[in-house]
Amino acid sequence: MEAVAEKVAHTDFVFTMFYAPWDADSMHARLEFFKTATYLQHEVMFVAVNCWWQHGSCSQRNKFMSFPVFVLYPTWDKKTGLEYKGPCQADYFLSFLEKAMRPLTRLHTMPELLHFVGQQDSTVVGYFDFNTSPQPPGYASFTLAAMRVLATNSVQQVRFGVVTSQQLSEDMKMSSLRKIFLFRMLNQTLIWPSNQVFTSMTFARWVVHYSLQHVHWLVPSGVKSQKLFSLIDRKAALILFTPYRPLDEVQELFTILREIVLEVKDCHQSRQVADALAAMEAERKAAGMRLRRLQQACSNKQNFEAPKATNDKPNCCKSILVGEAASKARNSTCDVTPFYDGDCTISLCCRNCTGSSESATAFNKSPHSGDAELLRARLRRQCKRLRLGGHLRREEASCEYSSFAPEAEKLRGLQCRTNRTLQFIVIDKLRYSRMAAMLGVNFSASESAAVVVDVQNEVQYLLDQSLPITKRSLAAFIFNFTEGQLTRHLRSAVLSSEGGQSKQLVHDLSITEVTTDTFQAIVMDNDMDVLLLYYTPWCGFCSRIAHVYLALSRYFRSAKSFKCARINAHANDLPWQFTVDRFPSLIFFPAKRKEDSEVFPTTAQPTLPNLIRFVFENMQLKDKLQVALSACSAPCVARNRELALRRLRSLHGDLTTLRSRMSRVHRRVTAARDDIVRGSRGSVAATDDAYLNFLVDYYVRLRRRIRGKKLQWRAAKTFHRIMRETKSSYLKASALDEFLRLSEVYRFHGNESEEITSSSLKERFLEENVRSERDEL
């Protein structure tokens, strides 16, 4: 540790990794740390320290709770250092170190200042008198504060600028020393209070506290935190999942979203905002073109090969702008060899300078003549940087630069015209795709996705993934949300097609897995009784009753019109009428009447007897009989055989009694009818007619009861025969089918007999012959 401290004291930048040899994250970060060190070995010193040995000076000085820990020790802070808290990837390391080595941007003119302020939501600009020696007072603290702010958020930094022109400082009224401005886009500009002590720590805290971000680039820490929830708790938020590549000059979709947000929040149609939007759009397009040209230059192997030059023919080169390269090459008469030279220029070199004077004029000797090897070395370094960021392994999609005027008119100042405002968040899709999947995003169709999450209303809206995300589609998505024209997106889990042991077990136990896409087909099947279990993977009580529910499904396996199903409510969204607020929950959806669904009582214990009772109370009659008979063992068969025999005897006695009573009523009806025919008209006739009506009504009731008893006797006789012929422990399927068919006939005729009214039977009785009616009975 002492040797490391000595090296730190004599080096401008030291990037240190404190690790533990047994830690898996440290093993993974080792390779990424080595890649970064290979690229920046001449600018930064890289040191790895084993801080696990408890008797070592490192473990005694530092009490780390986890590994690895990365700390940058710059020139102005060799004691505490700046802890890097970003992802352990080489491109993130490289981006952080490059920004830390160049934390300030020098501003010389007013256009440079306006362009600098318009590129970020929050920027810090200070003026220092560089005529003092050895450096202006407070300049070191200002630089270190920029690094500290960078360490808090290396992805979306607050940029720091320094005014070097006295004339520019006077124009901005920054003539006094240490006058520092915090520019905030679409908000009030703040000035550092001169009465406070100016240190790097206090100034960095002031900047972090008062800085403003209209679009938040969120980097979750990987542990439990309130970072995301604090942004989406109070109002809806649009979350854009897009790949973040730290080494890109411009993050295209992030910049597009920022342009849209500035349009939405520009209520006063500021000229400054309009200029900033135009500059951002131009810079975004130019950065994309530069990246594609650099990719083409890196993919051409000839750019890395030295040209075959002769001693008597000098090499003629000229550095020109990228846009002029094609025209210069076409107009030249010499054999041109291009070399990529920086961000905006290409060096075109003739392999020989003999030819017309036009050729010599177009490609005369430049200050870089003879430095082709230096240009190739620079190109190799830039290509290596691209490979480190994974740029050469991906294909760049063609950018859509269509007119945005119609959408801009709708969006300009939209925040001031509606109460449905949004927070805007961008998250790296490459590292946090699981978070996107929990919101229902499927990245197989597109590289990026946009989701509106409304926590208070518990809904989310997803931008159509079949279409590419452009400035116009994002703007229309935001506008439709404010107008309330979006449809709620229902997440649906994707079931694995590979059938493992768990899937086979679920199949054997007759439990159907339901998703949002299959809910209507399975649960809302009008011919099926469905018992649906709502569960979540993180619910402990759901795991507790899982074996009970499996036993229940096995108990009712023989029911042909009943199904046990379950749905993962954490990964599937359902319409509000089918949503529950507690887990586990059981809902019975009966056949033919899904609207009369029944919820298992929350006061009852979810035991197997209670669940069986709950299902029997709601399922169809045929399924009740089928389940009851299929579960009948040998003692059950004997007991039911005895009960059936008793039932037959009871029904036979009831039929005998009813027939005797019906015969007596029939004789009375016949006598009363004869008296009415022979008797005189008058009050006596009216009384006899009422008496006859009473007898007929009683006769109808007796006839109905006899018909029902006959059907019951027939069913009991069949049931007794089935029980008598059963030889095995359980009933056969054919016997069950015959009994169920008979039960259906009994139920049908029973309902039909209820529909026969007494008046219709009275008319039929009076019209028919009494003797033939009695013989039929």
Side-chain angles (χ1 to χ4, degrees), residues 637-657:
V637 171
R639 186 169 59 254
N640 280 280
R641 187 186 304 125
E642 181 65 24
L643 291 176
L645 185 59
R646 294 179 183 177
R647 182 61 176 167
L648 283 173
R649 294 171 181 171
S650 175
L651 289 173
H652 183 269
D654 292 343
L655 282 173
T656 303
T657 302

Side-chain angles (χ1 to χ4, degrees), residues 30-40 90 384 388:
R30 176 183 177 182
L31 179 60
E32 303 296 323
F33 191 74
F34 180 77
K35 290 180 182 178
T36 312
T38 304
Y39 185 83
L40 292 177
K384 184 177 180 180
L388 195 64

Side-chain angles (χ1 to χ4, degrees), residues 350-419:
C350 289
R351 293 192 173 90
N352 59 76
C353 290
T354 61
S356 64
S357 59
E358 298 178 0
S359 171
T361 303
F363 298 98
N364 57 356
K365 278 199 171 184
S366 67
H368 299 288
S369 298
D371 293 338
E373 183 60 34
L374 181 61
L375 297 177
R376 282 192 294 271
R378 183 177 181 181
L379 178 59
R380 280 194 293 267
R381 181 175 175 82
Q382 291 172 340
C383 294
K384 184 177 180 180
R385 187 176 185 272
L386 287 183
R387 293 188 184 93
L388 195 64
H391 294 77
L392 297 182
R393 294 191 299 270
R394 80 176 197 265
E395 296 182 359
E396 293 293 332
S398 60
C399 301
E400 181 183 339
Y401 299 134
S402 56
S403 175
F404 185 64
E407 286 75 11
E409 293 298 329
K410 294 180 181 179
L411 291 180
R412 188 169 292 116
L414 181 62
Q415 180 171 316
C416 304
R417 304 195 306 266
T418 180
N419 291 327

Side-chain angles (χ1 to χ4, degrees), residues 124-126 128 142 178-182 190-192 198 203:
V124 180
V125 178
F128 299 92
F142 185 79
R178 285 208 307 264
K179 195 163 188 179
I180 303 173
F181 291 91
L182 174 59
L190 303 180
I191 303 176
W192 167 257
F198 185 77
F203 181 62

Side-chain angles (χ1 to χ4, degrees), residues 67-83:
F67 293 99
V69 177
F70 301 92
V71 181
L72 174 65
Y73 294 97
T75 304
W76 297 277
D77 188 7
K78 292 298 180 67
K79 294 183 179 180
T80 58
L82 305 174
E83 183 178 355

